[in-house]
Amino acid sequence: MNLVLSLKNFNEPEWIDRLQALLPNRKVEGWNNGVSVPEKAEYLVAWKPDPAVFAALPGLKVIFSLGAGVDHLTSLPELPRLPLVRIVDPDLTSRMTEWVTFQTLLHHRQHLTYAAQQEAKVWQAHRQWAAKDVRVGILGLGELGLNSAIALKALRFKVAGWSRTPKNTDGIESFVGDDQLEAFLNRTDILINLLPSTPATHKLVNADRLAMLPHTGALGGPVYINAGRGATQDESAIEAALTSGQLKGASLDVFAIEPLADTSPLWQQKNCIITPHVAAESDPQALSEYVAQQIRGIERGETPENLVDLEAGY
Ligand code: NDP
Ligand code: OXD
């Protein structure tokens, strides 16, 4: 019944203390400090784990991803076919909705133009279009995409989403699968990417797809926003589209390789907002309680919540 943590970029000792306090009858240990009885470890809590951890813990029953995304695990050939639980947390979801809404409004309200004018002490108003005339399209209408869609719809944007399976949410148009992707892009002024990284979404946002975004909308050119995963976009196509004017603006929180290299030309793009994968962090205490609660449920014989479909990869 023991629990092992293998975490990169997290303070492992703090996480051990937090989980140990919530699960006093189990031994909680960090992979980096050595596991006392590896055969007794039944649960693994992982973020970009050491791939050697799986073979070293033969009694594992359930793996927890300490994030909503699981590509850090599904990309590992060593990952055993065990139940894999991901984070779904209202706090994380609402933080993502804040970031997405903020970036959407920033482009919609021409903030980059006004910030540049402030630098130059220029007092000049530009025509402002209404939200109801702007078509937002969200790639990925899952836990995060749907919440952002509802918030943007409440601001009166015309919202549609694209997903693998049909959705039926009042006032949000649903586009489904590869066959409807072009039609979805053709009606989208602000494209928001909240897709997971899977083989099917790899570099999905490429030059051809960016070219499908219209220039006929109220903004005068399309905007691209990504807080899903960098692997789902072709970074050089985005850079080229920003340079050519095919894209009017972008906001990027995620990149194929993080941190983004100093040499990336994206840093120089005046119409591109870059944030360092911070769109939706979460409260460590809330995440620890989520893991502890799931473990208690599993031990009562319940099926874990928010299991990843290992075939689909998300
Ligand atoms: P969900 O699994 O709830 O939603 C994923 C959505 O993508 C679903 O609507 C799914 O369709 C759709 N989708 C997946 N593959 C395809 C495909 N091939 N074609 C069409 N649609 C597809 O995930 P979340 O909303 O919880 O999270 C999304 C991603 O956000 C995470 O995987 C993670 O990478 C990223 N993330 C980023 C953070 C940050 O700080 N930047 C923080 C947290 C998460 P369907 O509904 O039909 O299954
Ligand atoms: C996550 C992330 O997947 O932080 O939770 O990107």
Side-chain angles (χ1 to χ4, degrees), residues 68-69 71 86 92 96 140-145 162-165 167 194-197 200-201 227-229 253-254 277-281 314:
D71 45 301
R86 70 187 196 96
L92 185 149
M96 180 59 86
L141 214 49
E143 181 63 30
L144 303 179
W162 181 74
S163 48
R164 259 190 347 139
T165 53
K167 307 292 168 203
L194 284 172
L195 286 168
S197 168
T201 61
R229 280 290 182 269
D253 183 60
V254 287
H277 199 140
V278 291
E281 288 175 17
Y314 69 97

Side-chain angles (χ1 to χ4, degrees), residues 147-208:
N147 200 268
S148 290
I150 291 168
L152 291 166
K153 183 183 157 280
L155 290 170
R156 304 189 72 218
F157 288 101
K158 264 192 205 122
V159 184
W162 181 74
S163 48
R164 259 190 347 139
T165 53
K167 307 292 168 203
N168 190 5
T169 306
D170 206 22
I172 295 168
E173 202 180 347
S174 166
F175 290 80
V176 183
D178 295 345
D179 290 351
Q180 293 185 7
L181 181 56
E182 183 164 0
F184 166 80
L185 294 170
N186 285 167
R187 55 72 63 203
T188 293
D189 300 315
I190 299 184
L191 179 66
I192 297 170
N193 181 350
L194 284 172
L195 286 168
S197 168
T198 70
T201 61
H202 186 70
K203 290 200 178 173
L204 186 128
V205 178
N206 59 20
D208 289 347

Side-chain angles (χ1 to χ4, degrees), residues 48-242:
K48 301 184 180 171
D50 177 353
V53 72
F54 304 112
L57 306 178
L60 275 185
K61 281 203 320 210
V62 179
I63 300 170
F64 293 90
S65 162
L66 211 52
V70 291
D71 45 301
H72 65 108
L73 288 162
T74 51
S75 59
L76 298 176
E78 296 85 351
L79 181 74
R81 287 193 80 78
L82 290 173
L84 170 57
V85 177
R86 70 187 196 96
I87 296 289
V88 173
D89 170 46
D91 180 61
L92 185 149
T93 301
S94 60
R95 290 180 196 220
M96 180 59 86
T97 298
E98 279 176 22
W99 188 90
V100 166
T101 310
F102 173 61
Q103 299 299 334
T104 304
L105 287 174
L106 183 146
H107 292 285
H108 167 61
R109 296 307 304 243
Q110 311 176 70
H111 179 74
L112 292 175
T113 302
Y114 288 121
Q117 285 189 191
Q118 182 173 345
E119 279 280 305
K121 300 184 183 153
V122 173
W123 180 276
Q124 189 190 343
H126 299 275
R127 191 186 73 80
Q128 180 60 51
W129 49 85
K132 70 172 178 45
D133 296 328
V134 177
R135 298 162 296 177
V136 172
I138 304 186
L139 291 166
L141 214 49
E143 181 63 30
L144 303 179
L146 185 60
N147 200 268
S148 290
I150 291 168
L152 291 166
K153 183 183 157 280
L155 290 170
R156 304 189 72 218
F157 288 101
K158 264 192 205 122
V159 184
W162 181 74
S163 48
R164 259 190 347 139
T165 53
K167 307 292 168 203
N168 190 5
T169 306
D170 206 22
I172 295 168
E173 202 180 347
S174 166
F175 290 80
V176 183
D178 295 345
D179 290 351
Q180 293 185 7
L181 181 56
E182 183 164 0
F184 166 80
L185 294 170
N186 285 167
R187 55 72 63 203
T188 293
D189 300 315
I190 299 184
L191 179 66
I192 297 170
N193 181 350
L194 284 172
L195 286 168
S197 168
T198 70
T201 61
H202 186 70
K203 290 200 178 173
L204 186 128
V205 178
N206 59 20
D208 289 347
R209 303 243 163 77
L210 289 172
M212 292 173 187
L213 298 169
H215 277 255
T216 48
L219 284 74
V223 164
Y224 173 64
I225 295 174
N226 187 7
R229 280 290 182 269
T232 65
Q233 67 195 9
D234 178 343
E235 239 158 75
S236 54
I238 291 160
E239 150 66 12
L242 285 165

Side-chain angles (χ1 to χ4, degrees), residues 16-80:
I16 293 172
D17 290 350
R18 240 181 255 119
L19 280 161
Q20 188 65 80
L22 291 165
L23 297 164
N25 301 328
R26 282 91 171 166
K27 198 169 185 57
V28 181
E29 293 181 300
W31 172 251
N32 292 332
N33 288 335
V35 177
S36 54
V37 193
E39 305 72 42
K40 283 200 173 167
E42 293 193 344
Y43 307 105
L44 176 70
V45 176
W47 182 257
K48 301 184 180 171
D50 177 353
V53 72
F54 304 112
L57 306 178
L60 275 185
K61 281 203 320 210
V62 179
I63 300 170
F64 293 90
S65 162
L66 211 52
V70 291
D71 45 301
H72 65 108
L73 288 162
T74 51
S75 59
L76 298 176
E78 296 85 351
L79 181 74

